[in-house]
Amino acid sequence: MTHRTQVAIVGAGPAGLILGQLLHNAGIDSVIVERHTRDHVVERVRAGVLEQGTVDLMHEMGVGDRLAREGLRHDGIYIAFGGERHRIDLAGLTAGRAITVYGQNEVVRDLIAARERSGRPLVFEATGASVHDIDSTHPTVRYRLAGDEHEIASDFIAGCDGSHGICRLAMPSPVVHPYEREYPFAWLGILARAAPSCPELVYSLHEHGFALFSMRSTGVTRLYLQCEPDEDLQRWPDDRIWGELTTRLRTNDGWQPAVGEITQKSITPMRSVVVDPMQWGRLLLAGDAAHIVPPTGAKGLNLAAADVWRLAGAIGEFYGTGSEVGLRTYTERGLRRTWRAQRFSWWMTSTLHRSASANPFDHKRQLAELDYLVHSQAAMTSLAENYAGVPFA
Ligand code: RFL
Ligand code: PHB
């Protein structure tokens, strides 16, 4: 069966769903195809920190009501080392830009509900997706649904299919240059039924390695521990996890995370990837399909939102005025924000993790870096600007 649309979107993560909503609001038709089930997509536990720009975009799109009610606005974060917690006043240092803690799965849930209200197609369990004729003005996406073959004839394909998607692989290999970096550690993340014992996030460097205290709601704490890249979760029973989290996060003023029932555990590898260019012909990549950042800077979801905001603008301009300027400059503008986010995420990661290859000099230098950070207005302002995020451009 052949469907006809203006924009075929592969992937119903934040990138694909935000793009679909922005296009809908601009009166542009799209079809979103997603290989997983709706439940899988909504229940995946991932990011939790929204930049000011992402929050503003949710409101502009008309999907910000629940976010306004349930999102937790944080004006600062803590950096902990040497037994002390130091607050960085994000809002005070950036003329009021703050972050909002609201789970990625809640963002996705709100966007799927909006998509359903729009009446535009969102196809779950679409398997074997492939893209064709991306060099032409009529590219197509083919997929299977319940054993039947489908084809979407479109003007543009948006590759929003994440880091393991197929769209990036459809770009001609001699043209595409992936820049990559692996990190020699991973994160063990948990969700716990425990009221957050600190109202803001705590990023901590301890002799045993990095730990992060975050949250999802007033009753759910989210915590992460630096671990080995090939870590076996079986080796981490709950009491070992709590012991290590408490050791790495506890500060001299007696603060430590509240303990509760662990409801989810997972390991996240850490990688940096940038795909250059982000487009080929009528195929345009957005979000994790185009770049991956290590989670320490909390930038992945926010970069995805900035990409599709730009992409929707370029597509809107094309249909509105016939201009292709926005489309032609999509890679250049996208890579600028991406590389800045890569630099910041790399810096947060290398400043806050212990590396097995580091020598005592490296450790002392790392502590000096943190000491400078929390005592210099200039250094704190730099962190605050990058963490809260500059306006989308
Ligand atoms: P997604 O969310 O991976 O969505 C891609 C979608 O495409 C589908 N797909 C396909 N569909 C059809 N056919 C195919 N062949 C397909 N191949 C794939 C997938 O099923 C999926 O539904 O990418 P998107 O939309 O670009 O969004 C990116 C974000 O998900 C990601 O950057 C963030 O989660 C990263 N991240 C964080 N970002 C932040 O901004 N703030 C944070 O605090 C933050 N914390 C995190 C994170 C990521 C983490 N993990 C698990 C990687 C914390 C963690 C632990
Ligand atoms: C989260 O709450 O999941 C989270 C917060 C900050 C990060 C990464 C993840 O840097």
Side-chain angles (χ1 to χ4, degrees):
M1 197 157 95
T2 300
H3 319 256
R4 164 82 205 141
T5 190
Q6 289 169 294
V7 185
I9 301 174
V10 186
L17 291 165
I18 295 175
L19 180 61
Q21 182 68 17
L22 287 168
L23 294 175
H24 167 69
N25 291 348
I28 298 168
D29 192 40
S30 65
V31 174
I32 307 180
V33 290
E34 163 60 49
R35 73 169 159 204
H36 286 298
T37 62
R38 179 198 169 111
D39 285 353
H40 178 92
V41 169
V42 171
E43 274 151 32
R44 267 186 312 212
V45 179
R46 287 191 166 182
V49 173
L50 308 187
E51 288 178 2
Q52 185 72 55
T54 306
V55 171
D56 294 345
L57 184 62
M58 291 285 285
H59 288 296
E60 280 160 29
M61 288 190 299
V63 293
D65 288 357
R66 200 161 67 92
L67 168 63
R69 281 197 312 275
E70 297 175 21
L72 307 170
R73 181 188 152 106
H74 290 187
D75 285 340
I77 56 168
Y78 287 91
I79 302 284
F81 61 99
E84 306 287 336
R85 257 184 310 160
H86 305 264
R87 184 166 186 271
I88 308 228
D89 180 5
L90 299 174
L93 293 162
T94 61
R97 295 182 78 75
I99 54 155
T100 298
V101 174
Y102 190 64
Q104 178 169 326
N105 54 327
E106 306 303 339
V107 171
V108 164
R109 196 191 302 276
D110 294 345
L111 288 162
I112 291 176
R115 180 78 185 177
E116 286 172 350
R117 283 195 300 277
S118 78
R120 305 222 192 241
L122 165 53
V123 184
F124 289 105
E125 298 178 74
T127 57
S130 57
V131 300
H132 306 270
D133 302 322
I134 57 174
D135 283 325
S136 80
T137 51
H138 296 290
T140 57
V141 173
R142 293 188 200 139
Y143 65 94
R144 278 189 299 281
L145 181 66
D148 293 330
E149 303 280 341
H150 294 259
E151 182 173 272
I152 310 171
S154 65
D155 299 331
F156 297 99
I157 299 175
C160 301
D161 50 348
S163 54
H164 302 292
I166 49 106
C167 289
R168 183 207 304 186
L169 304 174
M171 292 182 25
S173 55
V175 174
V176 182
H177 191 116
Y179 294 87
E180 294 188 49
R181 188 185 207 290
E182 300 270 339
Y183 296 84
F185 28 74
W187 281 10
L188 190 167
I190 63 158
L191 274 179
R193 260 192 254 279
S197 57
C198 174
E200 294 173 342
L201 273 61
V202 183
Y203 287 81
S204 172
L205 175 65
H206 182 271
E207 269 171 54
H208 292 195
F210 171 77
L212 170 61
F213 167 89
S214 178
M215 64 198 71
R216 282 294 175 271
S217 66
T218 49
V220 176
T221 307
R222 173 84 169 143
L223 297 129
Y224 297 96
L225 281 172
Q226 175 184 346
C227 64
E228 297 299 320
D230 54 356
E231 195 73 60
D232 177 4
L233 264 183
Q234 301 302 321
R235 292 181 52 244
W236 285 89
D238 295 3
D239 52 353
R240 180 173 177 212
I241 293 178
W242 285 119
E244 203 51 40
L245 282 168
T246 309
T247 302
R248 294 189 197 183
L249 285 163
R250 185 171 37 212
T251 42
N252 293 341
D253 57 6
W255 178 77
Q256 61 182 52
V259 173
E261 183 201 348
I262 296 180
T263 55
Q264 195 263 356
K265 278 187 210 176
S266 59
I267 306 266
T268 304
M270 314 257 287
R271 272 197 307 154
S272 296
V273 178
V274 177
V275 179
D276 182 357
M278 291 169 68
Q279 66 199 105
W280 185 257
R282 289 288 182 99
L283 170 66
L284 299 112
L285 305 180
D288 278 15
H291 37 66
I292 303 165
V293 283
T296 328
K299 286 282 161 262
L301 166 58
N302 297 299
L303 270 183
D307 282 349
V308 291
W309 172 82
R310 224 177 286 112
L311 182 53
I315 294 174
E317 189 180 279
F318 172 83
Y319 286 117
T321 68
S323 165
E324 297 197 22
V325 174
L327 290 167
R328 271 205 311 272
T329 56
Y330 176 67
T331 287
E332 186 189 320
R333 294 195 295 150
L335 287 183
R336 197 155 174 243
R337 191 178 188 93
T338 301
W339 276 112
R340 283 178 64 160
Q342 289 290 3
R343 184 213 63 87
F344 177 67
S345 305
W346 166 85
W347 175 80
M348 284 283 279
T349 303
S350 45
T351 303
L352 287 162
H353 289 72
R354 295 284 298 231
S355 159
S357 63
N359 64 24
F361 176 92
D362 299 324
H363 291 316
K364 289 287 187 190
R365 190 206 49 74
Q366 202 174 17
L367 292 173
E369 171 109 30
L370 288 167
D371 184 41
Y372 170 62
L373 168 65
V374 301
H375 291 104
S376 155
Q377 188 82 356
M380 284 190 284
T381 305
S382 169
L383 184 147
E385 261 174 17
N386 284 285
Y387 193 83
V390 295
F392 290 178

